[in-house]
Amino acid sequence: MPKLELTQELAWALATGGPWPAPESLTGDARFMALALREALQGVGLASPNPPVGCVLVRDGRVVGAGAHTRAGDPHGEIMALRDAESRGETPEGTTAYVTLEPCCHQGRTGPCTQALIQAGVTRVVVGVRDPNPRVDGGGLAILRAQGLAVEEGVLEEACARFHAPFFKLIRTGLPWVTLKLALGSDGSLGPAGRTTQVTPPEVQRLAHALRRASEAIVVGRHTIEVDDPQLTDRWPAPTAPHRSLARVVMDEAGQVPPGARVWAPVAGQPAFRAVTGDPAPLRGVVDLRLPPEGRGCSLRHLLHELAALGVGRVLVEGGGTLAAAFLVLGLVDEFHRFQSETPALGPALSLPLPPTWRQVASAHWPGGRWEVWR
């Protein structure tokens, strides 16, 4: 595995499932599909529960239009690319459309993209990966072929499938994609119990906010709130769309976190939720998610279903060793981002029951540590 230096660009790539293929290093169809993937990155954290599909239109080796789906109910990536071509004074007639996911063929909040491509005069469509949604699932490709368009699928298929894995999971299971993030010392510890310990330097903490930007909900345990008193806000440096929402969820079964905790303070676009099992006194501006009890806390699977019902497709679990282990034991984690320092945190080592089939798939280094991705 190559040793990559941690940068803002790489942090965003790791947070969205990458690193991603570099268009500059590729040729032919693969190069333009990599460009479509680059477009699609604009929709991560914004498009759920829809997939953030990217599309580029190409004529004679030149991109004449590009777009991504960035909000449920708004035009899909194919439509955005067609509009972009028009705004450039280009015609889509005779172009090849490179799309990260099979174009939809059904009427939803928007019309079918297959029909839009056909009517625009696109003559060839190259697809990264087939859409497992039962309303599509090969139907889009069949319609395009029946109308005489040349269709090719499976270009950069592994990368496109990895990129769209959160959507695939939501379609197949009804559950959002779950990312676990922990910062550990070289001794495998979060730090001494009951104390705030800064395992990573401030510049790395800022880059780690890519994980929050890529998610629609962040979940922590009550103990994390009591020790660190965090806001749990998205502080990624790039500006975000007005419709961006990050649900801040605290597992507070008995309603013990006090009203003065910073996490309950109102933040525009970042609503606060409290996962409870009983009927604690309400908190102004905080939404209670009443869940069935499980063990010593709330049912985590029910929590995920409740978040999915709110339109959340990607969840970041960021707080505490106990909560992390609970998600892992229940098999609810899809990927683990471990920030590993080269110095000890001087606390008890965590026992993290990672699935035996998982392996390290990516990493980035900074002076004094590394960011590892396990799936």
Side-chain angles (χ1 to χ4, degrees):
M1 188 175 297
K3 186 172 183 178
L4 302 175
E5 180 183 351
L6 182 58
T7 62
Q8 182 171 320
E9 181 180 5
L10 181 55
W12 181 240
L14 293 177
T16 54
W20 303 113
E24 301 79 13
S25 66
L26 301 170
T27 59
D29 287 343
R31 173 171 175 261
F32 293 115
M33 187 59 71
L35 288 172
L37 266 174
R38 183 174 288 178
E39 285 293 317
L41 290 172
Q42 299 177 58
V44 177
L46 296 172
S48 286
N50 289 354
V53 176
C55 175
V56 297
L57 301 174
V58 177
R59 179 189 295 108
D60 299 328
R62 183 173 62 90
V63 174
V64 299
H69 182 50
T70 58
R71 184 179 187 177
D74 281 1
H76 293 182
E78 298 94 323
I79 310 303
M80 297 301 290
L82 291 170
R83 291 183 178 179
D84 183 50
E86 182 181 359
S87 71
R88 300 185 192 194
E90 301 277 1
T91 174
E93 263 191 280
T95 61
T96 295
Y98 293 85
V99 193
T100 59
L101 185 68
E102 177 183 3
C104 66
C105 54
H106 60 281
Q107 178 70 46
R109 293 189 188 179
T110 60
C113 291
T114 48
Q115 192 63 28
L117 293 172
I118 293 165
Q119 290 179 342
V122 171
T123 54
R124 180 171 178 252
V125 178
V126 179
V127 171
V129 66
R130 187 172 293 206
D131 187 347
N133 185 337
R135 301 181 72 186
V136 185
D137 197 15
L141 303 179
I143 288 173
L144 294 172
R145 289 186 173 115
Q147 292 297 313
L149 280 72
V151 176
E152 184 169 350
E153 58 179 308
V155 174
L156 291 189
E157 183 172 17
E158 186 278 332
C160 290
R162 178 161 33 95
F163 177 76
H164 288 298
F167 171 69
F168 292 173
K169 181 188 178 186
L170 190 63
I171 284 292
R172 289 167 173 155
T173 70
L175 294 172
W177 185 264
V178 177
T179 297
L180 171 63
K181 177 245 177 182
L182 290 173
L184 305 172
S186 59
D187 51 2
S189 166
L190 293 168
R195 280 173 41 192
T196 299
T197 302
Q198 299 296 335
V199 175
T200 54
E203 59 271 19
V204 173
Q205 293 173 21
R206 285 193 293 271
L207 292 178
H209 271 266
L211 289 166
R212 294 188 183 182
R213 176 58 60 88
S215 305
E216 290 101 32
I218 177 172
V219 179
V220 302
R222 174 173 59 85
H223 183 66
T224 294
I225 301 298
E226 292 173 344
V227 173
D228 297 336
D229 195 22
Q231 283 185 298
L232 301 182
T233 50
D234 171 6
R235 298 191 294 279
W236 183 243
T240 187
H243 71 275
R244 159 76 173 157
S245 179
L246 177 70
R248 299 174 294 150
V249 183
V250 179
M251 306 302 295
D252 187 22
E253 295 81 6
Q256 294 174 272
V257 176
R262 296 173 70 213
V263 70
W264 304 140
V267 178
Q270 301 182 56
F273 292 81
R274 183 174 60 165
V276 299
T277 57
D279 193 22
L283 293 174
R284 182 187 296 271
V286 178
V287 178
D288 282 343
L289 299 173
R290 289 182 170 80
L291 307 173
E294 183 178 78
R296 298 173 63 185
C298 299
S299 169
L300 299 180
R301 185 174 295 274
H302 280 82
L303 169 68
L304 295 179
H305 278 293
E306 288 292 326
L307 292 175
L310 294 172
V312 170
R314 300 174 69 118
V315 174
L316 175 63
V317 178
E318 204 180 85
T322 300
L323 186 63
F327 268 94
L328 286 167
V329 165
L330 292 171
L332 297 176
V333 179
D334 297 291
E335 63 180 13
F336 175 33
H337 290 251
R338 178 165 64 192
F339 291 75
Q340 188 79 56
S341 174
E342 294 175 357
T343 59
L346 304 177
L350 289 185
S351 176
L352 296 174
L354 300 184
T357 57
W358 276 17
R359 60 185 179 90
Q360 185 182 331
V361 296
S363 69
H365 294 254
W366 73 85
R370 64 189 183 276
W371 176 346
E372 300 174 350
V373 183
W374 292 74
R375 296 191 194 96

